[in-house]
Amino acid sequence: MTTSRGTVLLIEDEEAIADLVRMYFEQEGYRLVHAADGERGLEAVRDRDPRVVLLDLGLPGIDGIEVCRRIRASSDVPVIMLTARDGEVDKVVGLEIGADDYVTKPFSPRELVARVRAVLRRSEEPARVPSTLEVAGFEIDSGRREVRLPSGEVVRPTAREFDLLWYLAENQGLVLSRPQILEAVWGYDYFGETRTVDVHIRQLRRKLDGLPIETAWGVGYRMGDG
Ligand code: CA
């Protein structure tokens, strides 16, 4: 019996990429499940219980954005999107609908493995002692991973959005730089892709209207006092 680091689901229509990715991940001790289109990918999310999903954006049938949306409707499994080099808009849309990260094609399989490890490291961290932080009338509950708005309405951000929110709230009053935020919330140095932070901040601002997330121009963000 072989031990495995767990199942990685790759949803990708290009066989050559799938073969390459499979080789690398199997070498690293993961089990790789490959689905060649979105329908089968969604089935595999349900049936194979993957620890992480690698999701190609350009898929025949249901496209990657829609697949991600449907995964998010029922699952918190980490999703890393595989995007085309010039698909900046796609990347942003992908993050907005709850993808955790993205890798631009052509990617090095080694880099992809590193990203998966980083994502999994985060999800394996021992659960923090549940506690609640209050900012400007917003109750942020780390046990339930949800936020009670001043109106009483409860909002559940995506896993990554919540981690970002918690980090800002724990450091209320401090200006946090984008690289600092990436390191703390994404768990590795995400060189040149600070846009990821901005997209997640925008989502938090949209979902948590009135929460005092301030922009420190040219630096990063700060949770104010409200
Ligand atoms: Ca494709």
Side-chain angles (χ1 to χ4, degrees), residues 93-108:
V93 172
L95 293 173
E96 284 179 349
I97 58 172
D100 292 82
D101 200 353
Y102 57 81
V103 172
T104 305
K105 288 180 175 179
F107 52 80
S108 94

Side-chain angles (χ1 to χ4, degrees), residues 11-14 17 36 56-60 82 105:
I11 308 176
E12 164 66 72
D13 58 313
E14 282 173 65
I17 293 179
D56 180 32
L57 263 178
L59 289 168
L82 312 178
K105 288 180 175 179

